[in-house]
Amino acid sequence: MKVDLHCHSNVSDGLLPPAEVSRRAADNGVELLALTDHDDVAGLAEARAAAEARGLRFLDGSEVSVSWRDDASFHIVGLGIDPANATLLAGLKSIRDGRDGRAHRIAGELEKCGIHDAYEGAARHAGKASIISRAHFARFLVERRISPDVKSVFDHYLAKGKPGYVPHEWASVEAALGWIAGAGGVAVLAHPLRYRVSRDELRVFLGAFKDLGGQGIEVACGAHSIEEVKECARMARHFGLKASVASDFHGPGESYADLGKAPPLPDDLVPIWHELI
Ligand code: AMP
Ligand code: MN
Ligand code: MN
Ligand code: MN
């Protein structure tokens, strides 16, 4: 079965409306899809309807931003969540509520680099302040021809340690795992090798994540090389975590992988979706 359990619509920092994400997934041969917008569930009903109209199975998801220890942040994908769960909705809203102030702080740092009006520019790309993300700033800087593409904006301005980066307090890992479990979902660590932490710190995090009820890890990840997929498979086996498949698609031409185009999953791993469908 062709599976893709991590992608974004324009409800967060993707480029396509939710229904178009589902239709594109269908065109690419995906049979089981989860939409996982950052800190939001507002696109799920539209995406589900379009997916089911094309005969796809659909899982409700969200990618939750969490902070850990001294300014580390991780992304935890909740899958099979009830998108009407009040505690989950309040938790995700609390994260979104922090995004606008952070965006003003990012714009203040970019101003010091001589980049003016970045808040307004990013907000225009985001559509609404509550989901404004670094991806929207990146699109604005590309539009202004300050960098040639989104990736180089991150490399020069927005990644941790770069001049436009600001620390931010997201949800705690405990809170995010509690919301996901309370809404009937399972928690999966997103793109394990795309965080600015050492391998030792990643392993400590994974131990804590598992102890707190985390159940899965993205192994076949669009943002990972074949070697990195193997490394994630070793972590899945070591920590007893189930494996997920994730394009992390954001839009045509902008993402590592298109919908349904994640690398293959090593076949000894336990797929996270087996108990969800
Ligand atoms: P935020 O949630 O505001 O911290 O923004 C994070 C988002 O920025 C991620 O979900 C990606 O969509 C995007 N992003 C992060 N790092 C990179 C990168 N190195 N290249 C391209 N996009 C990135
Ligand atoms: Mn994103
Ligand atoms: Mn992510
Ligand atoms: Mn993502």
Side-chain angles (χ1 to χ4, degrees):
M1 179 157 64
K2 190 177 270 197
V3 175
D4 191 343
L5 302 181
H6 183 158
C7 63
H8 299 272
S9 76
N10 64 3
V11 160
S12 63
D13 59 355
L15 293 170
L16 304 178
E20 281 185 39
V21 172
S22 295
R23 288 195 282 266
R24 187 181 180 95
D27 289 342
N28 287 358
V30 173
E31 297 164 273
L32 174 65
L33 177 70
L35 178 68
T36 57
D37 276 310
H38 297 283
D39 312 317
D40 213 335
V41 293
L44 294 175
E46 179 186 320
R48 174 182 285 281
E52 291 177 351
R54 291 285 298 267
L56 273 75
R57 304 181 88 158
F58 186 84
L59 289 172
D60 291 307
S62 182
E63 182 176 12
V64 185
S65 313
V66 301
S67 293
W68 194 61
R69 296 193 171 173
D70 305 325
D71 195 30
S73 66
F74 292 92
H75 286 173
I76 297 175
V77 169
L79 295 174
I81 50 175
D82 169 8
N85 181 274
T87 308
L88 173 69
L89 289 174
L92 296 180
K93 181 174 185 306
S94 74
I95 303 179
R96 295 197 304 276
D97 284 346
R99 279 189 177 271
D100 193 45
R102 172 184 182 249
H104 280 290
R105 287 186 285 126
I106 292 173
E109 295 305 311
L110 292 174
E111 186 78 41
K112 293 180 196 163
C113 305
I115 300 168
H116 308 299
D117 304 325
Y119 176 83
E120 292 73 18
R124 190 161 29 78
H125 281 275
K128 55 181 181 186
S130 64
I131 50 104
I132 192 165
S133 90
R134 286 182 293 162
H136 300 113
F137 279 93
R139 288 173 195 148
F140 168 68
L141 267 63
V142 172
E143 180 187 282
R144 274 276 182 91
R145 297 180 189 278
I146 290 162
S147 295
D149 54 43
V150 163
K151 186 181 177 306
S152 66
V153 181
F154 275 90
D155 291 346
H156 292 99
Y157 293 101
L158 296 179
K160 191 170 172 182
K162 300 298 169 183
Y165 179 84
V166 300
H168 186 66
E169 193 66 29
W170 302 103
S172 70
V173 179
E174 290 85 348
L177 290 173
W179 302 333
I180 292 167
V186 298
V188 178
L189 180 65
H191 43 70
L193 299 177
R194 289 283 81 82
Y195 302 104
R196 303 225 168 202
V197 297
S198 68
R199 288 295 195 272
D200 283 346
E201 287 171 302
L202 179 61
R203 276 187 276 272
V204 172
F205 176 81
L206 275 168
F209 174 74
K210 169 85 181 180
D211 287 346
L212 290 166
Q215 295 178 46
I217 180 170
E218 289 182 355
V219 172
C221 181
H224 287 168
S225 69
I226 295 299
E227 278 312 308
E228 289 176 325
V229 171
K230 288 182 189 162
E231 186 173 350
C232 291
R234 288 194 290 275
M235 290 190 287
R237 293 180 198 109
H238 178 82
F239 288 97
L241 291 166
K242 294 174 185 166
S244 192
V245 176
S247 67
D248 205 1
F249 174 78
H250 282 72
E254 204 182 276
S255 295
Y256 294 99
D258 206 330
L259 291 159
K261 307 288 184 191
L265 195 62
D267 54 19
D268 65 302
L269 301 177
V270 182
I272 188 83
W273 60 91
H274 275 191
E275 62 192 67
L276 295 172
I277 59 173

